[in-house]
Structures are given as C-alpha cells and as structure tokens.
Amino acid sequence: MIRDYSSTLIVQEVAPRDGLQIEPTWVETRDKIALINQLSLAGFTRIEAGSFVSPKAIPALRDGEQVFQGIQRQPGVIYVALIPNLKGAQRALAANADELNLVMSVSQTHNLANMRMRREQSLAGFGEIVAAVQGQPVSLNASVATAFGCPFEGRIDEDDVMRIVDAYLALGVQGVTLADTTGMANPRQVERMVARVLTRLPADALTLHFHNTRGLGLCNVLAAYEVGARRFDSALGGLGGCPFAPGASGNICTEDLVNLCEEVGIPTGIDLPHLLQLSRTLPALLGHELPGQVAKAGRNCDLHAAPVGLID
Ligand code: COA
Ligand code: ZN
C-alpha cells in the first residue's frame, strides 16, 4: 500500500510548559525566554510558552507573566498558555497570550488530583472563561487529559471522552486536544479515537498530545496521522510530564518526531539541525540527560569517518 504523506504535520512545541513544569531545578526566567526565542526561530507555528496555574501547584512556572512579556514574538507563531480556571485566563489575557489551552481530565480521580476540582466544576469554570474572553483577541483550545488511560482509574470509556469533546464544542472552543497524560495509548485505540473525533471537528482543529512513557509515542503519532490527524504536541529533548500523575514521564521528543517525519517524507517546516543544536544545550540547563534519541545518535545522514586501515 502506498501511503500519502504529503500533507504537513503541525508540531506544537510544549517544552516551555509541559517540559519545564516537572523539572526540579528552577530555570531562570531569562533562560526560559531565551529557549522560547530560539524555538520561535526553528519553524514552529505554535509554542505552548507557559501556564497560569496556582504557583503552589506548579512552582516551576510561577513566572508566566514575565515569560510572556519578555519573549520576542515572531510573526506567524501562536503563543499558547495552559490555564485551569478563570483566574488563569485573566492572568493569561493580561500577559497577551494568543491562545488559552483549558485543561481537565476525563478521569474524575486525575482531575481531583491535578485540578482539585470535579470534572463538572472544571467545565462550569470553562463556561465562565468563554464568557470572559468574548470580544478579546484570543482563541481557545480545550484539552481532555487522561483521554487514553488514567494512572488511577485505568481504562477510560471512549464515550466519556466524546462527551467531553462535545461539551467543549458546545462551549464554542476553536480547538480540542486529546492528551495521553501518562503514555497509555496504543496505535489501534488512537486510530479509533481520532476517527471518532474527526466526525465532530476538522483535522486542523484537533491536536494529539502523546507521552512516551511506554515507548509508543511515535507509533501513536503515525497511527493518528494515517487516519487524518495533523496537529501534534511534542517537547524538545523529550522533556515533560504531569507532577500529579504517578509515573508520568516525558512528552514525545520534538527532534525525534521531526526526524521521523523527514525520514518518511512528511513535511513539518521545522529546522531539524537548529532543534538538535538547541536540544543539546538542555542537559547543561537542567542538570540531567534527556530521553530524546536523535540528539544523541545524530540523524541518519550524520555519518562517521570509516575506521582507518580497513581492508576491502
Ligand atoms: N493562578 C494563580 N493563582 C491561582 C490560580 C491561578 N490560575 N488559581 C487559584 N490560584 C490561587 C488562589 O488565588 C488562592 O491563593 P491564596 O491561597 O493566596 O488565596 C490559591 O491559589 C487557592 O485557590 P483555589 O481556587 O482554592 O485553588 P486550589 O488550591 O483548589 O487549586 C487549581 C486549584 C486549579 C488552581 C490548582 O489545582 C492548579 O493550579 N492546578 C494546575 C496543575 C497543573 O498545572 N498541572 C499540570 C498541567 S495539566
Ligand atoms: Zn502532557
């Protein structure tokens, strides 16, 4: 079978948000800004640049205002802020975020652990946010966390996910994300869910957010792309994870994803050498190695000199 890989895969870079939120080492505001400024030059059209959540919940991102106000915005790049509630939306608007990413979990247990709210309270709060941003120059995306499995509840009912997607669409959001918070998705499940959600909204309004916790992240991307998904979150170096989900680990790695796309011929518009250079600065910034593989191995085309003295 010949597959059509000609349509662009849009990568939303989430290292400044999902990536840094779980890091134990404080990253200085100026270093966050420098990272985002570099990412802005690598060809991304969307960067999740931070979150406006309780600083007690996520101390690592408590400087969201300074970050959003300090970055050099590149034309054509949408700078997204993750928010849990109306207070977060007000902070993000004041900081000139281009898009608000509202988040709740389909799993009641994970929503209580992560947001300290029941799902109904999260949804009611999102209603207030929609009313509050009327007429403001900002778009809304809404994420369904634990959409493919929950570390507390296990299997997630796919109809429950659809009910939340429908509730989001009824609120009038422009985009929806299905998030695999702790890497429990498998490619067949992904195909099924993407096909279902694409009956409700166009491909350019759906984002898939995979973590590589069980090594299936890029398999899931390809499975989703092949049934029509076109937008994916990933993090430089494979950073990331939710501090309120036991066993959470990194997002799919951006440079590994872009490398996959280059190898199979899917356009991304992203400058892979620039990303690799940037990714290789992360261990010094964060004080540990990162899970990303291509930054360590090099691209297929980064060849080595043959050993001297070979006899043919
Ligand atoms: N930004 C800054 N401060 C906030 C805030 C926000 N978006 N929302 C609430 N707060 C503050 C309140 O003002 C209050 O401050 P005070 O103690 O100085 O009076 C305090 O946080 C408690 O407010 P409350 O509404 O009772 O929140 P809570 O303690 O029940 O926590 C959330 C609810 C949603 C704010 C919190 O669980 C949260 O931020 N979760 C996000 C976690 C996250 O980012 N996970 C990873 C991404 S999915
Ligand atoms: Zn995540």
Side-chain angles (χ1 to χ4, degrees):
M1 189 201 329
I2 307 282
R3 298 185 194 277
D4 179 10
Y5 284 161
S6 61
S7 88
T8 297
L9 183 152
I10 295 167
V11 185
Q12 171 163 265
E13 173 57 49
V14 300
R17 196 280 300 172
D18 205 331
L20 296 185
Q21 72 184 7
I22 198 169
E23 285 297 319
T25 305
W26 168 249
V27 176
E28 295 293 342
T29 306
R30 64 169 180 277
D31 292 329
K32 290 176 179 138
I33 291 171
L35 175 63
I36 296 166
N37 286 346
Q38 281 299 317
L39 290 167
S40 298
L41 300 174
F44 295 103
T45 50
R46 309 176 62 83
I47 299 175
E48 198 165 74
S51 66
F52 292 93
V53 304
S54 158
K56 286 190 197 115
I58 307 282
L61 299 183
R62 62 180 183 266
D63 54 352
E65 278 83 359
Q66 295 95 302
V67 170
F68 269 84
Q69 279 152 9
I71 54 178
Q72 259 178 307
R73 288 160 185 260
Q74 293 297 328
V77 182
I78 295 166
Y79 295 91
V80 180
L82 179 138
I83 56 167
N85 57 12
L86 183 59
K87 178 159 186 178
Q90 288 160 341
R91 289 177 62 204
L93 280 178
N96 289 324
D98 300 315
E99 182 170 299
L100 311 186
N101 182 16
L102 323 182
V103 183
M104 67 175 271
S105 303
V106 56
S107 150
Q108 190 74 275
T109 317
H110 184 256
N111 207 54
L112 283 165
N114 193 32
M115 299 297 178
R116 297 161 60 95
M117 282 183 267
R118 294 184 62 77
R119 298 184 303 182
E120 308 74 55
Q121 290 168 280
S122 282
L123 264 182
F126 296 166
E128 294 172 28
I129 293 170
V130 169
V133 305
Q134 286 291 329
Q136 304 272 356
V138 73
S139 54
L140 295 179
N141 186 79
S143 292
V144 188
T146 65
F148 298 93
C150 167
F152 304 111
E153 295 187 7
R155 215 187 134 268
I156 290 293
D157 183 345
E158 296 179 2
D159 292 340
D160 259 5
V161 176
M162 293 310 293
R163 276 190 276 277
I164 295 180
V165 169
D166 287 337
Y168 283 164
L169 295 175
L171 283 173
V173 300
Q174 286 79 46
V176 168
T177 298
L178 297 185
D180 185 22
T181 308
T182 56
M184 294 172 76
N186 71 69
R188 298 294 89 83
Q189 180 191 18
V190 166
E191 285 168 356
R192 235 179 9 252
M193 284 311 298
V194 169
R196 279 187 80 171
V197 176
L198 287 179
T199 62
R200 303 287 211 282
L201 76 179
D204 63 3
L206 172 65
T207 303
L208 277 300
H209 176 107
F210 293 123
H211 282 257
N212 198 35
T213 314
R214 291 173 176 79
L216 295 183
L218 295 186
C219 301
N220 289 330
V221 170
L222 214 51
Y225 180 92
E226 287 176 0
V227 292
R230 292 292 177 266
R231 264 165 64 167
F232 295 87
D233 285 351
S234 63
L236 192 70
L239 284 172
C242 173
F244 302 99
S249 64
N251 290 85
I252 56 168
C253 168
T254 306
E255 60 271 23
D256 293 1
L257 169 62
V258 173
N259 179 69
L260 163 69
C261 290
E262 291 201 356
E263 288 300 317
V264 301
I266 298 173
T268 64
I270 294 173
D271 178 348
L272 183 54
H274 184 127
L275 275 192
L276 289 169
Q277 189 197 356
L278 201 51
S279 178
R280 289 172 181 143
T281 67
L282 290 178
L285 181 69
L286 301 168
H288 61 81
E289 285 300 310
L290 295 157
Q293 292 178 283
V294 179
K296 295 175 196 121
R299 297 167 299 166
N300 292 12
C301 60
D302 295 332
L303 303 181
H304 302 263
V308 286
L310 288 184
I311 301 166
D312 193 355

